[in-house]
Amino acid sequence: MMEDLNLPFWIYLCIITVLVGGLLKKILASHVSATPTLVAWLGATVLVERLWSFWLPAVLLLALLGLACCLYSAATTPPSALPAQGKAVLITGCDSGFGKAAAKRLDALGFEVFATVLDPTGEGARELQRSCSASLTLLQVDITQPQQVQQALLDTKARLGHKGLWGLVNNAGVCVNFGDVELSLMSTFRGCMEVNFFGTLTVTKCFLPLLRQAKGRLITISSPAGDQPFPCLAAYGASKAALNLFINTLRHELEPWGIQVSTILPSSYKTGHSSNHGYWEQQHKQLLQSLPPALLEDYGEDYVVETKELFHSYARQANPDLSPVIDTIVQALLSPQPQARYFAGPGVGLMYFINTYCPFSISNRFLQKLFVKKKLMPRALRKQSGFDLSLHNNNNNNNNITKEDQQKLPHM
């Protein structure tokens, strides 16, 4: 039978093999859970079975391929991590959350840590001073203030001397909005962009000369909201989308300089104001006071309240253990070959897998069910729906009466 196969078939077969192999490689490198990986393997089995049913059993082929991968993995020794001693790292946003935890971990590993904080007298700064070594340096920096960023650069240079900066961890960020785009204030959009994008841009541009000097690492904590349209997170997501594109562009531009650029995409964690009930209440009160009366009437105060409560519930269910993100930061700093993108925490890899490989209708439904599961419609739509339902019932009643009357009419 193999003699009957012509040259175009073999060319087509080689192309399909390369595509399937590349797809599997991408899936297996995406840190997804076992279930979608198994689905991918089964899908590849079906595809190969269709193409090679008359040549080689696909199950046997995949078994041989899997065995070869296992043997290769066993024979390949992963490169050892780089030493932390003698390396300097600057981390932004260390008052709480990922920044504070990363500063403590990197200091314990032997890094020379420069930790920026908004409030040098706050609890977060005091905790870092109590728990970290004398080599950790606190810098008071609001990343939206270029003069403060420039002063932090001068202070860092004075401390480092002729040594460059091995790592810059862009962690500082804010998520201040909760609500539909139409209900979100313009100040909210500007605030998110000012911190998450322009602030990070300012810090990165200022410290790039030190990174180039050390051929170091640029690591940015971003969010899946920058790649996927989470409902009620438009302001935050838009700022992170701008940040992601900026970092991806830098990855290409800094490659000739020997700088490795990585983006970390965490799942849901309890950081910053996420579990602060008073903060969300204040945001909610400010929103109600700022909305035009006609707009609030169309959506309904109960609709806004439900959104706030859903955010509270989502924040309460967030993971308090930040170690997956901190471990990823360490890996990106010390791995001889860091990845361009890391998924930190459960569910992120699966979410990106569905968004990448599934039809839009499936990925869109998954996203809607994953985050804010609203039950209320805006008030105006509820009124319209009730009116339509009432009108529909009246029409049905009229139709029934007409049929009954028609039955009483004499037959002609």
Side-chain angles (χ1 to χ4, degrees), residues 5-303:
L5 303 180
N6 53 24
L7 182 60
F9 169 80
W10 288 109
I11 296 176
Y12 178 72
L13 189 61
C14 290
I15 293 174
I16 292 298
T17 303
V18 170
L19 291 176
V20 172
L23 176 64
L24 286 175
K25 181 180 178 181
K26 185 175 182 180
I27 293 172
L28 294 175
S30 297
H31 304 285
V32 297
S33 63
T35 302
T37 304
L38 178 60
V39 172
W41 275 97
L42 291 176
T45 303
V46 173
L47 177 61
V48 176
E49 178 69 33
R50 295 295 183 186
L51 292 174
W52 296 356
S53 58
F54 49 87
W55 181 44
L56 184 66
V59 175
L60 177 60
L61 177 66
L62 287 178
L64 293 175
L65 179 62
L67 179 61
C69 291
C70 291
L71 292 176
Y72 176 79
S73 300
T76 304
T77 303
S80 57
L82 301 175
Q85 284 69 24
K87 291 181 170 61
V89 177
L90 184 135
I91 312 170
T92 62
C94 296
D95 297 85
S96 62
F98 298 141
K100 184 176 72 173
K104 294 167 70 173
R105 172 78 70 85
L106 296 182
D107 177 76
L109 289 174
F111 282 96
E112 183 178 359
V113 177
F114 295 85
T116 77
V117 292
L118 272 175
D119 183 5
T121 63
E123 178 56 33
R126 293 199 301 269
E127 182 180 343
L128 288 177
Q129 289 175 322
R130 289 194 304 266
S131 59
C132 295
S133 68
S135 65
L136 181 136
T137 302
L138 285 178
L139 302 170
Q140 195 281 318
V141 179
D142 179 347
I143 65 172
T144 66
Q145 303 299 317
Q147 67 275 15
Q148 294 186 21
V149 176
Q150 190 64 36
Q151 185 60 51
L153 175 63
L154 296 176
D155 295 341
T156 304
K157 280 183 174 180
R159 183 71 181 263
L160 289 177
H162 297 291
K163 185 174 64 173
L165 186 68
W166 173 255
L168 170 61
V169 181
N170 285 319
N171 166 72
V174 294
C175 178
V176 295
N177 74 299
F178 59 96
D180 303 55
V181 170
E182 194 174 10
L183 297 176
S184 300
L185 307 177
M186 287 302 298
S187 59
T188 297
F189 283 90
R190 292 191 178 97
C192 284
M193 288 297 295
E194 195 64 38
V195 177
N196 298 339
F197 178 69
F198 288 111
T200 303
L201 171 61
T202 302
V203 172
T204 303
K205 283 177 64 68
C206 278
F207 283 88
L208 270 180
L210 292 182
L211 283 178
R212 288 192 287 105
Q213 183 180 342
K215 295 185 177 181
R217 307 289 171 84
L218 174 61
I219 300 166
T220 302
I221 311 298
S222 186
S223 169
D227 293 320
Q228 303 179 42
F230 284 90
C232 298
L233 279 182
Y236 177 72
S239 66
K240 289 296 187 178
L243 177 63
N244 289 348
L245 183 60
F246 163 62
I247 295 300
N248 288 335
T249 303
L250 270 182
R251 181 178 301 111
H252 297 289
E253 296 177 352
L254 296 179
E255 185 177 0
W257 295 94
I259 297 177
Q260 303 284 344
V261 179
S262 298
T263 301
I264 297 176
L265 300 160
S267 57
S268 178
Y269 290 94
K270 287 186 178 180
T271 60
H273 294 298
S274 63
S275 56
N276 187 337
H277 183 79
Y279 170 80
W280 290 112
E281 289 294 336
Q282 179 185 1
Q283 292 292 317
H284 173 69
K285 182 178 179 181
Q286 179 183 352
L287 178 63
L288 291 179
Q289 293 174 346
S290 304
L291 288 177
L295 184 60
L296 183 58
E297 175 64 25
D298 282 345
Y299 277 87
E301 187 171 339
D302 55 348
Y303 180 88

